[in-house]
Amino acid sequence: MSGVPTTVYRYRVRDRGGNLVSGTLEAGTPEAAVSRLRGMGYTPVSVQRADSGLSREISLPGFGGRVGLKDLAVLSRQFATMIDSGLSLIRALSILAEQTENKVLAGVVAELRTDVESGEALSTAMAKHPKVFPPLMVNMVKAGEVGGFLDTVLLQLAANYEAEVKLRGKVKAALTYPVVVLVLAALMCTGMLLFIVPTFATMFSDLGGELPLPTKALLVLSDLLWVAALPLVVVGVGGLVTWRRVKDDARVRGVVDPLKLRAPVFGPLFSKIALARFCRNLGTMMSSGVPILQSLEIASETTGNVVLTRAVRDVQESVRTGRPLAEPLGAHPVFPSMVVQMLTVGEDTGALDEMLKKISEFYDQEVEATTESLTALIEPLLIAGLGGVVGAMILALYMPIFGVFDLIQ
C-alpha cells in the first residue's frame, strides 16, 4: 500500500467529550480518512480535501505562509498556561489548533495533536516540522518531557522568543526612519530627473545660449535615467529575488558575515546582536536540562553569524575533550574578555545558566543603546544629505533662468 498516493484532508470531528475539533490528516481516499478518524475515537462531522473549493487559501510567493518568532512565543506561553492549569496534552493542542491566528501554525498544531494521540511524543511530532519548530524548541520540549517539567520549559521558551522579538523590534524601529528617508529621497530624485528636468530642458532649448555645466550634467543624467530606468528596475528586482534565495547559503554567508562584523559603524551592533542571541539560547537550554554539548550544537546554529558559529563549534570540540567552557572561548576574538570572565565565574559557582542570562540581558541593553545612538547620528546626516542633493538639483535647474534676460536680448 506504500505506492498508493495520499491526499491531505481537512476534517471537523467531535471527540469523546462532545467537543468540536478540527485539523488535517493524510489518507488515500475520503473513506479512508473517515475510517482513520473513527479508529481514533472521533465522530466525523465533515471531511474534505484541504485544497478543494472555498477551503483553498490564496498564497503569494514570498508573502504569508510563515511562522515567526512572535507566533512561537504566543504559542509557547498559551501552551504552558494550559498545561500548568491541568489540561491534558491532547486537549491543550486541540484548543491551540482552534485559536491560533496563524493558519499555517494552526494546521501544524492540529497534526501534532493527531500524532500525539496516536502515541508519539510531542518532541518527536514537532521534529517532523523543522521549518516551523526550530531545533532549540524541539530539544527543550524533549528535555521537559523527560524531566516532567514541560510547562516550565514552555514558559522559558516563551520568555526566550519574546526577548528575541523585542530585540529585533528595537533594531527595526531604530532603522525604519533612515530607510524610509533614503527611499523617499531616491523616489524624489528619480521623479525630478524623469518628469521635471525634461520640462526645463525644452525651455532651455527654446531660449538658446550656453547652459551652465551643472545644468548640462543634470540634463545628461536625466537622459540616461530615461534609458536605464527599466533595466535598473529589472536588475533591482532580480537582485532582490536572487539575494533572498542565496542569503542563507553557506558559501554566501561565509563571505558576507565576516564583512558584517568588520563594517565601520554597524559592525559592533551586529556583533552584540549575535552575542546576545547566543548567550540567551545557550542559557535557556542549559537551564532546561539539555546537555552542554547538545546545547552548544544548537546554539551555534542560532547565532545568525557564521563567524560566531565556527567559534562555538571549536569550543564544542574543546568541551568534548573535557576542557571548561570559558577557557576555549578566550581563544576567539569574537568573544570579548568580559564574556569570558563572566562565564568563568559562572562555571566556578555552578550558575552558568544564570550568568549566560545576565550576559544576554547586558547585550540586549547595549544593542538598544547602540541603535538609539546610531539613529541620533544618522537622522541629521540624512536630512543634510537629502537637502543638499535636492538643493543642488534645484540650483542646477534655475541657474540658466538667472540669465534669461541676457538670452532674450
Side-chain angles (χ1 to χ4, degrees), residues 51-391:
D51 59 349
S52 64
L54 297 176
S55 65
R56 181 180 300 166
E57 295 184 2
I58 299 175
S59 177
L60 298 178
F63 297 91
R66 298 180 59 185
V67 178
L69 288 179
K70 186 175 181 180
D71 298 317
L72 294 179
V74 173
L75 175 73
S76 300
R77 188 162 295 280
Q78 292 177 342
F79 202 177
T81 301
M82 286 185 281
I83 296 296
D84 185 56
S85 300
L87 292 179
S88 66
L89 189 59
I90 295 177
R91 180 59 178 156
L93 288 171
S94 300
I95 296 174
L96 289 173
E98 293 177 3
Q99 70 180 24
T100 300
E101 296 182 0
N102 187 302
K103 300 301 181 183
V104 175
L105 185 57
V108 172
V109 172
E111 293 181 22
L112 292 183
R113 182 193 187 282
T114 302
D115 292 338
V116 170
E117 192 170 33
S118 64
E120 290 188 4
L122 177 61
S123 58
T124 304
M126 293 172 67
K128 295 180 179 179
H129 308 277
K131 293 184 178 181
V132 176
F133 303 112
L136 171 70
M137 190 172 189
V138 174
N139 283 274
M140 287 186 62
V141 168
K142 183 177 181 180
E145 287 178 317
V146 174
F149 47 88
L150 181 60
D151 54 341
T152 303
V153 166
L154 290 170
L155 286 175
Q156 290 175 336
L157 275 170
N160 180 286
Y161 286 136
E162 286 167 356
E164 181 72 16
V165 170
K166 184 179 179 181
L167 179 64
R168 291 186 180 185
K170 290 177 180 177
V171 176
K172 288 181 180 179
L175 298 180
T176 296
Y177 177 80
V179 171
V180 170
V181 171
L182 286 175
V183 171
L184 290 178
L187 292 176
M188 186 182 304
C189 293
T190 302
M192 290 183 66
L193 289 171
L194 290 178
F195 304 107
I196 298 178
V197 173
T199 303
F200 278 81
T202 304
M203 182 180 67
F204 295 153
S205 63
D206 294 339
L207 292 175
E210 184 71 16
L211 296 176
L213 182 60
T215 307
K216 290 181 178 179
L218 195 62
L219 293 176
V220 171
L221 186 60
S222 176
D223 294 336
L224 289 176
L225 189 60
W226 267 107
V227 175
L230 183 59
L232 286 176
V233 171
V234 173
V235 171
V237 173
L240 181 61
V241 173
T242 302
W243 171 250
R244 293 189 64 178
R245 289 183 178 180
V246 305
K247 65 179 182 178
D248 295 326
D249 185 82
R251 292 172 295 181
V252 175
R253 292 188 60 190
V255 176
V256 174
D257 287 358
L259 295 177
K260 283 184 178 181
L261 297 183
R262 291 198 295 266
V265 177
F266 292 94
L269 177 62
F270 292 136
S271 177
K272 292 173 183 177
I273 292 174
L275 287 170
R277 185 178 292 121
F278 164 72
C279 293
R280 182 186 306 110
N281 292 338
L282 182 60
T284 302
M285 284 185 289
M286 292 187 64
S287 63
S288 300
V290 181
I292 178 64
L293 291 176
Q294 191 174 358
S295 297
L296 286 171
E297 175 68 25
I298 298 170
S300 68
E301 299 295 336
T302 60
T303 60
N305 192 286
V306 70
V307 177
L308 205 64
T309 297
R310 292 169 180 170
V312 174
R313 287 177 178 172
D314 290 342
V315 171
Q316 182 185 8
E317 293 302 319
S318 298
V319 173
R320 197 187 305 273
T321 62
R323 298 174 62 187
L325 174 63
E327 181 180 341
L329 285 177
H332 297 277
V334 70
F335 294 102
S337 58
M338 183 205 73
V339 174
V340 177
Q341 295 299 325
M342 291 184 68
L343 292 182
T344 301
V345 174
E347 286 185 310
D348 293 340
T349 58
L352 185 58
D353 53 342
E354 290 296 325
M355 195 62 70
L356 285 165
K357 181 180 178 181
K358 291 180 180 179
I359 296 173
S360 67
E361 292 174 350
F362 168 79
Y363 278 111
D364 284 343
Q365 296 172 358
E366 283 288 298
V367 169
E368 183 177 1
T370 302
T371 52
E372 290 177 355
S373 300
L374 287 176
T375 303
L377 175 65
I378 291 174
E379 284 183 7
L381 293 178
L382 286 175
I383 294 174
L386 177 60
V389 171
V390 176

